[in-house]
Amino acid sequence: MLDPDDVVHLRRGGTSLLLDLGDVVPAIAHWGEDLGAAPDETLRSLAVASRLQRVSGGLDQTARLGVLTTGASGWLGTPSLEGHRDGRDISALFTLDRVETSAHAAALEFTDAEMQLSARVELSVGASGLVRTRITVRNDGDTDYTVQALQPTLPLPWDATEILDTTGRHLRERSAQRHELTFGTHLRESRRGRPGADATLLLAAGVPGFGFERGRVHGIHLAWSGNARTFAERTPTGEAFLGAGELYLPGEIRLAPGEQIASPEVLGSWGDGLDDLAARFHDEWRARTEHPRRPRPITLNTWEAVYFDHRLPKLIALADAAAEIGVERYVLDDGWFRHRRDDTAGLGDWYVDDTVWPEGLHPLADHVVAKGMEFGLWFEPEMVNPDSDLARSHPDWLLHGRAQLPPSARQQQVLNLAHPEAYAYILEVISAILAEYPISYIKWDHNRDLVDAASGPGGAGQVHAQTLAVYRLIDELKAAHPGLEIESCASGGARVDLGILGRTDRIWTSDCLDPVERLENQRYTALVVPPEMMGMHLTTPHVHSTGRTVSLTLSGAVALFGHFGIEWDVTTLSDTDAAVVGDWVALAKRVRPLVATGRVVNVDVADPGLDVRGVVAADAASALFTIAQTQTLISSPAGRVRMPGLDPDRTYRVRVATPGGIVQTPAQSPLVWAHHDTVLTGRQLALVGVRPPVQNPQQATVIEITAA
């Protein structure tokens, strides 16, 4: 029998999670700062000190936020589980039967004998201090049980009263928004069959005014690539918490006797500032055995260079120019397969179009490989054009809930990969292409939301099954083709989550390559995603997505702190511009080990026209910072900018490393420190800083810092 004073203290990576097992419903008494090697007596007292009193006008026992809360316990907030048996047996009330613990994890086993259900709540703390939790529920009865909601929660400190999340659209994903966490529920839902461009990657709550450098903040991420709901809640009983789970379509999860379902993992991080919170995600993800280890190849993608105009001489010339400036991976984008002359036809017919490629892709692929580059290819495996041989032959393979098809997007529909024959076909045709050509990389696109996503007229919802089928397809392809890398692209950045990034090697962060727009997008994407897994490319001076004209220096600086690449017809470059692009490529190659292992730093600056960010080496021996200017500043010259994150007692040499040097007009005097052997301590850089160069809008400077 469990002791009513039992507690479990999970402690790792600067994080403590204290489980109180003695209350009516087991609860998390603390999640956040490390409590140290506290005596058991004090931990038990801390747990008891967090229990609630009965209050006038309330239930005789005030219900507390537990690890598995339901309405039958008296909990009046959002429950962990909602379900029923054909409209009956709606009341679940679980009893804790068993607790399994290890050094850094706990699993709590529950049963509800009356409702014939059992559940398992898992909690763990990773080496970086990142918390993972999920709930599994099993139907122990002899009739079907429908699960409506299954959503783990993590508690918030009571002073976490400001929310940060993100929203957006195609070409402007992950735009930040903040507001007060008031009493009630702040709910974010994605019903797009994927996270969507408007989804929040992270839901965070902290002390008012928390920034990137300081201010305690807690946040959660749902590692799932289908429909989702994420929420922050504050109750009149003094409870505040974050929660998330899969959003199930009506009747989508119907457990037969003996069947079970697990929620997606909810990952929780906290920190003194958002950079501290983000570092836990990055460290945890980088520690995985499947994390990409080799230097991220400099990638050229052909889309904005040629679009659908696939002509071998042009593509060969593009490969030659790419190799000349140091590109290591060449990716042929959309347009290579049967019937695909524009975006209205051909999706699903994954055979090389012999009217465009009479010798197949061999002449191009062989030429690319002969130039010392890897060859990559674009696919959109989950999609189909109604104008395709596939759709005409197998109309029953398309997702739809009525006799007519759902509204189209980009002239396409969604292939039901939960259909065994459709799945087998896609696996077969992609495998055949991979077997025939030296393909080391797939750009895996997903250009529309899932609308009315059912198995056919009158059929059941398929988003859950579709998401699992996509995971399985990627896993099978990678297992059969060791070394194959896959990029998750979804109308740009509309499927960015750690569910898909648990099995792919990078994301395409956004279809918008405008560096001014990318600054915010990349900053908030990196709250969860390690920078080396974020595709960041140089763009044409005249940006296709916004029409803005931008400088190569700004474009290069913004692309530097990620998986660097190029989205440009580099055959059009002058010799001078090609040399400058080559210098940026060389710099990206030199700093990519730092980008892939270092700690991201975002400086909280006073002037909204300045953006200061960097990466500091894990051993604090070096760092790279960029100072980007997006608009004119009220002060000129600008005030000093700080560069924190280094060893405060170490001495560093600070120099400008921008390819081509500082852009300077005759009206300006030289930036004195840039022409001086500037040596500063880490403490001086963090607290005082240096004067940035005088810059016009859309200019940037790269600063390299090395231990002296």
Side-chain angles (χ1 to χ4, degrees):
M1 185 172 177
L2 294 167
D3 187 323
D5 291 329
D6 271 351
V7 293
V8 174
H9 186 199
L10 306 179
R11 178 181 174 230
R12 198 179 188 194
T15 294
S16 279
L17 189 147
L18 181 64
L19 273 169
D20 177 4
L21 304 180
D23 210 345
V24 176
V25 177
I28 298 172
H30 170 76
W31 162 48
E33 293 92 331
D34 185 5
L35 298 175
D40 288 346
E41 180 184 6
T42 67
L43 293 173
R44 286 192 291 269
S45 293
L46 183 61
V48 171
S50 69
R51 296 177 187 172
L52 306 183
Q53 285 181 276
R54 178 172 61 86
V55 294
S56 174
L59 297 175
D60 287 341
Q61 177 150 344
T62 305
R64 177 184 181 189
L65 174 72
V67 297
L68 186 59
T69 51
T70 60
S73 68
W75 173 247
L76 299 176
T78 298
S80 305
L81 169 69
E82 290 181 290
H84 60 88
R85 298 183 192 273
D86 290 330
R88 299 182 297 276
D89 290 348
I90 65 167
S91 176
L93 182 61
F94 290 95
T95 301
L96 180 63
D97 289 338
R98 191 161 62 97
V99 179
E100 302 171 1
T101 61
S102 62
H104 309 297
L108 286 68
E109 302 277 1
F110 297 86
T111 56
D112 179 348
E114 185 175 344
M115 293 296 113
Q116 297 181 294
L117 297 170
S118 56
R120 179 181 175 91
V121 177
E122 296 169 86
L123 291 150
S124 65
V125 181
S128 68
L130 191 75
V131 168
R132 295 172 180 254
T133 181
R134 67 179 174 188
I135 301 172
T136 302
V137 63
R138 187 179 68 236
N139 178 15
D140 296 328
D142 53 10
T143 59
D144 289 356
Y145 182 79
T146 298
V147 179
Q148 291 181 201
L150 189 61
Q151 43 212 12
T153 57
L154 290 169
L156 285 171
W158 190 241
D159 60 358
T161 56
E162 184 177 354
I163 288 177
L164 167 73
D165 61 3
T166 61
T167 185
R169 58 171 174 81
H170 180 228
L171 303 177
R172 194 186 167 101
E173 304 88 346
R174 285 170 297 289
S175 295
Q177 56 184 11
R178 288 178 180 249
H179 59 84
E180 184 182 358
L181 174 54
T182 55
F183 286 94
T185 305
H186 173 73
L187 174 64
R188 295 295 307 278
E189 291 186 338
S190 176
R191 298 174 179 270
R192 298 174 179 270
R194 58 181 183 177
D198 63 336
T200 185
L201 179 67
L202 180 83
L203 179 58
V207 296
F210 67 87
F212 281 86
E213 293 185 68
R214 61 187 61 87
R216 186 179 61 188
V217 57
H218 290 68
I220 61 168
H221 168 80
L222 184 70
W224 178 247
S225 310
N227 289 340
R229 61 195 318 264
T230 308
F231 53 93
E233 196 162 316
R234 191 172 173 87
T235 76
T237 56
E239 303 274 54
F241 56 97
L242 300 170
E246 186 179 355
L247 191 159
Y248 303 126
L249 295 177
E252 190 174 22
I253 306 301
R254 193 175 174 95
L255 300 179
E259 286 187 340
Q260 65 181 32
I261 187 169
S263 71
E265 275 196 321
V266 174
L267 281 64
S269 184
W270 73 278
D272 183 13
L274 289 165
D275 283 344
D276 196 20
L277 175 151
R280 299 187 194 281
F281 281 106
H282 298 174
D283 291 348
E284 181 92 1
W285 223 243
R286 287 168 170 170
R288 300 171 304 134
T289 56
E290 64 271 31
H291 193 73
R293 301 290 171 197
R294 67 188 180 108
R296 301 291 73 218
I298 306 296
T299 299
L300 180 135
N301 191 67
T302 66
W303 178 242
E304 290 194 3
V306 300
Y307 291 101
F308 289 106
D309 187 14
H310 284 201
R311 290 174 289 122
L312 183 59
K314 173 66 176 181
L315 291 165
I316 290 285
L318 191 60
D320 291 341
E324 190 68 26
I325 58 178
V327 168
E328 298 163 312
R329 174 185 284 158
Y330 179 102
V331 181
L332 182 64
D333 209 289
D334 193 359
W336 57 268
F337 48 96
R338 194 177 291 171
H339 309 134
R340 190 67 166 177
R341 304 283 56 80
D342 55 32
D343 65 359
T344 65
L347 279 179
D349 299 339
W350 300 109
Y351 307 94
V352 177
D353 192 329
D354 55 13
T355 66
V356 179
W357 301 91
E359 299 176 72
L361 299 178
H362 294 290
L364 178 61
D366 293 347
H367 185 82
V368 166
V369 172
K371 284 287 183 178
M373 296 182 290
E374 299 175 6
F375 183 64
L377 196 60
W378 181 94
F379 285 92
E380 197 172 1
E382 299 149 80
M383 300 297 157
V384 59
N385 287 122
D387 184 6
S388 66
D389 293 342
L390 176 66
R392 283 184 285 271
S393 299
H394 301 284
D396 56 314
W397 289 4
L398 277 59
L399 283 176
H400 57 301
R402 301 176 61 83
Q404 71 269 31
L405 291 176
S408 63
R410 208 176 182 230
Q411 310 294 322
Q412 63 195 53
Q413 296 289 338
V414 184
L415 191 67
N416 182 5
L417 289 180
H419 191 297
E421 294 176 16
Y423 181 94
Y425 163 78
I426 288 295
L427 178 61
E428 178 184 357
V429 291
I430 295 179
S431 297
I433 294 290
L434 294 176
E436 182 173 357
Y437 298 102
I439 297 167
S440 60
Y441 180 85
I442 291 177
K443 181 177 179 179
W444 188 299
D445 217 336
H446 183 288
N447 277 313
R448 64 154 293 161
D449 298 322
L450 275 61
V451 179
D452 200 23
S455 56
Q462 289 292 100
V463 172
H464 177 81
Q466 178 83 356
T467 306
L468 294 180
V470 172
Y471 288 170
R472 188 170 75 253
L473 179 59
I474 293 173
D475 292 345
E476 284 200 56
L477 288 169
K478 294 198 93 176
H481 302 275
L484 176 69
E485 293 193 5
I486 295 177
E487 172 187 80
S488 172
C489 177
S491 313
R495 183 159 63 185
V496 175
D497 64 87
L498 296 183
I500 201 71
L501 271 175
R503 44 194 36 92
T504 56
D505 301 277
R506 79 169 202 171
I507 56 163
W508 184 226
T509 319
S510 177
D511 276 346
C512 182
L513 284 159
D514 186 323
V516 177
E517 301 292 324
R518 274 287 190 126
L519 283 168
E520 182 181 26
N521 171 279
Q522 292 174 183
R523 168 170 278 146
Y524 287 97
T525 304
L527 287 177
V528 171
V529 182
E532 68 275 17
M533 301 189 80
M534 295 165 54
M536 302 183 186
H537 288 193
L538 285 176
T539 183
T540 57
H542 183 74
V543 181
H544 293 206
S545 58
T546 63
R548 182 183 279 135
T549 299
V550 298
S551 72
L552 175 56
T553 300
L554 180 65
S555 185
V558 171
L560 200 57
F561 294 148
H563 188 166
F564 191 91
I566 300 170
E567 200 90 12
W568 195 346
D569 183 357
V570 292
T571 66
T572 64
L573 296 177
S574 66
D575 290 345
T576 300
D577 285 345
V580 176
V581 171
D583 289 343
W584 278 103
V585 168
L587 177 60
K589 288 180 178 179
R590 183 163 65 82
V591 304
R592 62 188 170 187
L594 170 64
V595 172
T597 58
R599 180 162 181 166
V600 174
V601 175
N602 293 279
V603 184
D604 293 321
V605 295
D607 197 312
L610 278 182
D611 179 283
V612 183
R613 66 184 69 187
V615 179
V616 177
D619 62 0
S622 63
L624 198 75
F625 279 81
T626 59
I627 304 171
Q629 188 167 322
T630 58
Q631 63 189 44
T632 59
L633 309 180
I634 295 175
S635 62
S636 185
R640 286 178 291 193
V641 296
R642 298 173 299 102
M643 286 173 275
L646 291 151
D647 184 339
D649 298 318
R650 206 164 181 177
T651 302
Y652 296 91
R653 185 160 278 106
V654 185
R655 71 178 190 90
V656 173
T658 313
I662 296 176
V663 177
Q664 186 170 315
T665 68
Q668 299 165 2
S669 65
L671 181 65
V672 179
W673 72 260
H675 300 277
H676 175 73
D677 184 20
T678 302
V679 179
L680 297 167
T681 67
R683 182 175 284 105
Q684 291 166 343
L685 283 164
L687 298 179
V688 182
V690 301
R691 291 277 184 183
V694 173
Q695 301 182 122
N696 288 325
Q698 300 182 35
Q699 290 182 343
T701 301
V702 180
I703 308 294
E704 188 167 25
I705 302 173
T706 53

